[in-house]
Amino acid sequence: MNHPASWIRALIWALVAVALLPASPVAALEWPGREEEQLKQLRSGSSQERLVALKGLDGMPLERLRPLLLAALDDASIPVREEAARMAADRRLQEALPVFTRWLSHWDTRHRVLAADSLALLGSPAGIKVLVRVLGDPEQKVRLAVIRALGQLSSPSRQEVPALVRALDDSVASVRVAAVGALAAKKDGRAVIPLMSAMRDSSSDVRQASARALGTLGDAGAGPVLVTALEDTSDGVVTVAMESLASLAYKPAVEPLIDLFHHGR
């Protein structure tokens, strides 16, 4: 009878041999085979099949995925183009910049919004110049998307700040509110005086957003305007003006604040 230790050694070597065996041919070919099928579906006449196939390639290395995404950006199907835009922007595929730039002038509003959103995700300062040019788009939802994008992007010259300041004169209050928020996020001193002027806006939403932005920017020069806002007809504006004055530690506001507490509105 062999010594028990020999059986243990034999078992160990057997386990090592199994571990070193090549992977099952079926398992090894499973993903390439599936990828081949998805590549074939990208040429399908069914837009739904092309969309499913494109989503299925999400994990493909960028070098292989790049030409497929650039081709899919010109697909006849809007959902396919949308998915390709998302994937390209998520990967910061700079080669897609000309496509998104072209879409900003597309007749379809949906494309223009998608282009602005994609440029924001792409993160390239090169997109700012074209976004600034379309800030006057006739569609409100496009202007909102452009402002969102300009709020996220930044260039060395900060050319997006003057453009956002101009958007404070937009005819739609919600667009003006968005411009105020984007300017606050920029923390650029050039926005202080325009935001002080926005405290006279006809919309209480704009005035409230501006009061908050002035507190965020931290310029004590906005103090007198915020003190005046303590007499605003909107309780929301008054509350935010108080918070911003506290944030600025604006000492001349102490007496008006005490008077407000004692006498109310």
Side-chain angles (χ1 to χ4, degrees):
M1 177 181 290
N2 291 331
H3 192 277
S6 64
W7 287 99
I8 294 174
R9 286 197 296 270
L11 179 60
I12 290 173
W13 282 112
L15 291 172
V16 170
V18 170
L20 294 176
L21 284 173
S24 164
V26 174
L29 294 174
E30 183 179 357
W31 168 243
R34 187 164 66 247
E35 181 181 288
E36 175 97 19
E37 181 62 27
Q38 287 166 333
L39 291 173
K40 180 180 178 182
Q41 287 180 336
L42 279 176
R43 299 185 293 273
S44 169
S46 165
S47 61
Q48 184 58 34
E49 285 189 4
R50 296 198 304 277
L51 179 60
V52 171
L54 185 62
K55 289 181 177 179
L57 295 174
D58 210 4
M60 179 184 282
L62 180 58
E63 288 308 309
R64 296 181 62 195
L65 188 58
R66 177 181 282 108
L68 302 175
L69 286 179
L70 293 176
L73 286 171
D74 286 324
D75 195 274
S77 166
I78 290 179
V80 173
R81 293 198 296 272
E82 287 180 329
E83 180 62 21
R86 180 195 66 78
M87 293 171 67
D90 283 348
R91 289 162 176 76
R92 295 179 178 267
L93 189 62
Q94 298 303 313
E95 291 92 332
L97 182 63
V99 177
F100 297 148
T101 299
R102 188 173 73 246
W103 284 4
L104 285 174
S105 302
H106 199 280
W107 63 268
D108 182 20
T109 300
R110 190 168 164 180
H111 274 72
R112 302 201 300 279
V113 170
L114 179 59
D117 290 341
S118 298
L119 285 169
L121 287 173
L122 204 59
S124 172
I128 294 177
K129 189 174 182 179
V130 291
L131 286 165
V132 167
R133 287 203 301 263
V134 298
L135 196 50
D137 192 281
E139 289 291 337
Q140 173 185 338
K141 61 178 65 176
V142 176
R143 299 199 300 278
L144 284 170
V146 170
I147 287 172
R148 283 197 305 269
L150 290 174
Q152 295 177 52
L153 296 171
S154 184
S155 64
S157 64
R158 307 281 279 178
Q159 61 180 304
E160 69 275 9
V161 174
L164 289 169
V165 167
R166 290 196 298 274
L168 293 175
D169 293 326
D170 195 276
S171 60
V172 178
S174 61
V175 177
R176 300 198 298 276
V177 169
V180 170
L183 285 168
K186 292 292 176 182
K187 298 189 184 310
D188 191 301
R190 288 175 293 175
V192 173
I193 292 177
L195 288 172
M196 289 168 61
S197 297
M199 290 299 298
R200 298 191 297 270
D201 196 278
S202 60
S203 166
S204 62
D205 289 339
V206 175
R207 298 196 303 276
Q208 183 170 326
S210 299
R212 181 172 290 108
L214 288 170
T216 299
L217 291 175
D219 190 325
V225 171
L226 291 169
V227 169
T228 300
L230 296 176
E231 300 176 0
D232 198 278
T233 55
S234 165
D235 289 341
V237 174
V238 173
T239 299
V240 174
M242 292 170 59
E243 293 171 352
S244 290
L245 285 166
S247 175
L248 295 175
Y250 186 67
K251 293 181 180 179
V254 172
E255 188 173 336
L257 284 169
I258 291 173
D259 186 64
L260 180 64
F261 285 130
H262 283 171
H263 304 290
R265 297 174 58 76

